[in-house]
Amino acid sequence: MQKNMIPGNSFYQLKTIIITSIISLSYLFLSFILVGFKTDQLILLLIFNSLFYISSATRKFILGFSIFIVYWILFDYMKAFPNYLFNRVHIEDLYQMEKKLFGINFDGLLITPNEYWKLNTNDFLDVITGFFYLMWIPVPLIFATYLFFKNKKQFVYFSLTFVWVNLLGFAIYYAFPAAPPWYVQEHGFKFIAKTAGNTGGLVRFDHYFNIRLFKGIYSKGSNVFAAMPSLHSAYPIIVFYYSIKNRLGIINLFFATVMFGIWFAAVYNSHHYVLDVLIGIICSIIAILTFDLLLSVKLFKNCIDKLIFEIK
């Protein structure tokens, strides 16, 4: 008995179809149990299965990018396990520490950088910081796509470092739940469970263009009490590091600009304290250094080499 659905075609093996079908259905079932059904889940499965079966090239592409899919699923599932159920949320103590370390004297009062910029906004900064904040996912994904076609080895290294910094960040989210600056501006120092996501200062971007872009994005947030570290601030460092490592020349200037722009935007729009940004930067440095260190471990390196071979 032949094992292929199409005789002579090993690309459509029955075993492979069964495995991918089980994985897809299991994902839908687990998602329904944990976070409820969403059309995003069907779209993700449609993209994955379509690319998996269109051709050998698209299969390798989606398998390579499965690293990012795993990240997205883990992030989405955090909704089912709010970090404030496991540890106390830091609100006032974080605010006071920010003011103590980075406070700005303004009109005779000591205020946080977030409060200063909320009092000194302008249309130019509203628009430019909004565009910078929109880059936090597209830029890493576009860069990863470039590496996939240019250098599979560097693609895998970059992707795993990206996921590793997220896992570090998620661990801190649960060990140190932290409210963002906009939360204090909206609710004071009182803890309110199940607080809905908020656009913060990014609402000014939406108002300027008369759209609901950021409102739509932040209505799907996994947990508002996950402000520290700022992973928005960590991602562009990973991109910048691998850009330099791959000697991309003038494009490094673009990535550096995006990096500093996102850092400023995070504070300007009251989504993160300066402390959150600094911890995000530290997380990215730790992720880069520890991943490079792991590559010196033969067993780990062999596993990575097998992954690289599978998508070549």
Side-chain angles (χ1 to χ4, degrees):
M1 181 181 293
Q2 290 185 342
K3 295 183 179 180
N4 302 331
M5 284 192 65
I6 300 177
N9 189 347
S10 60
F11 185 72
Y12 296 102
Q13 287 187 341
L14 180 59
K15 179 181 177 182
T16 301
I17 293 174
I18 291 174
I19 291 174
T20 54
S21 298
I22 290 175
I23 291 174
S24 298
L25 292 174
S26 298
Y27 164 67
L28 279 180
F29 178 74
L30 185 59
S31 296
F32 178 76
I33 296 297
L34 293 178
V35 297
F37 174 76
K38 296 182 295 182
T39 54
D40 294 355
Q41 298 157 6
L42 290 179
I43 293 173
L44 177 63
L45 287 182
L46 177 62
I47 293 173
F48 177 84
N49 283 279
S50 297
L51 293 177
F52 190 83
Y53 288 113
I54 287 175
S55 69
S56 177
T58 58
R59 176 174 293 186
K60 290 178 180 179
F61 180 82
I62 197 60
L63 286 177
F65 273 82
S66 292
I67 300 172
F68 293 95
I69 294 175
V70 169
Y71 147 73
W72 186 90
I73 292 173
L74 288 176
F75 181 77
D76 191 40
Y77 284 177
M78 286 174 65
K79 295 186 182 75
F81 309 97
N83 60 351
Y84 56 77
L85 296 179
F86 301 89
N87 280 299
R88 177 178 67 89
V89 176
H90 296 268
I91 305 175
E92 184 173 5
D93 56 346
L94 189 56
Y95 169 84
Q96 296 296 347
M97 181 63 70
E98 176 80 359
K99 183 184 290 188
K100 180 180 179 180
L101 295 177
F102 305 105
I104 299 171
N105 285 297
F106 184 73
D107 286 346
L109 294 174
L110 184 65
I111 59 177
T112 66
N114 307 102
E115 292 169 329
Y116 172 82
W117 285 113
K118 188 177 181 181
L119 294 170
N120 293 275
T121 62
N122 62 64
D123 288 345
F124 173 76
L125 290 178
D126 292 343
V127 171
I128 196 69
T129 57
F131 279 119
F132 274 126
Y133 230 54
L134 286 172
M135 295 182 185
W136 71 278
I137 279 295
V139 167
L141 288 180
I142 292 171
F143 180 64
T145 303
Y146 165 79
L147 288 179
F148 180 85
F149 291 107
K150 187 71 174 180
N151 189 323
K152 295 291 195 301
K153 178 180 177 180
Q154 288 297 305
F155 164 78
V156 171
Y157 287 3
F158 167 77
S159 302
L160 290 176
T161 305
F162 180 89
V163 172
W164 177 219
V165 77
N166 277 282
L167 294 178
L168 289 175
F170 294 169
I172 296 175
Y173 287 165
Y174 283 92
F176 192 88
W182 63 257
Y183 180 91
V184 174
Q185 295 166 10
E186 293 284 330
H187 307 291
F189 300 130
K190 181 181 178 181
F191 168 67
I192 305 173
K194 298 182 180 180
T195 300
N198 192 295
T199 56
L202 291 168
V203 70
R204 296 187 295 268
F205 181 93
D206 280 0
H207 288 167
Y208 185 86
F209 290 103
N210 194 27
I211 57 176
R212 296 168 60 88
L213 177 60
F214 282 108
K215 185 174 180 60
I217 292 173
Y218 282 95
S219 65
K220 301 177 181 180
S222 286
N223 190 349
V224 302
F225 301 110
M228 179 181 285
S230 167
L231 290 179
H232 288 76
S233 302
Y235 300 152
I237 297 178
I238 306 295
V239 173
F240 186 52
Y241 170 76
Y242 278 94
S243 175
I244 292 175
K245 199 170 184 179
N246 285 272
R247 302 177 181 179
L248 296 189
I250 193 65
I251 197 67
N252 293 332
L253 181 60
F254 169 75
F255 288 137
T257 302
V258 170
M259 181 173 67
F260 286 108
I262 289 177
W263 293 350
F264 176 70
V267 177
Y268 177 81
N269 291 296
S270 292
H271 275 266
H272 292 284
Y273 293 114
V274 174
L275 280 169
D276 302 335
V277 172
L278 290 177
I279 299 301
I281 292 170
I282 291 172
C283 281
S284 65
I285 294 172
I286 291 174
I288 290 169
L289 293 177
T290 53
F291 181 78
D292 286 347
L293 184 63
L294 282 172
L295 287 175
S296 64
V297 179
K298 187 175 180 180
L299 179 61
F300 182 80
K301 181 67 163 54
N302 289 341
C303 291
I304 301 303
D305 288 342
K306 288 181 181 178
L307 177 58
I308 295 170
F309 177 78
E310 288 295 324
I311 63 173
K312 278 189 174 180

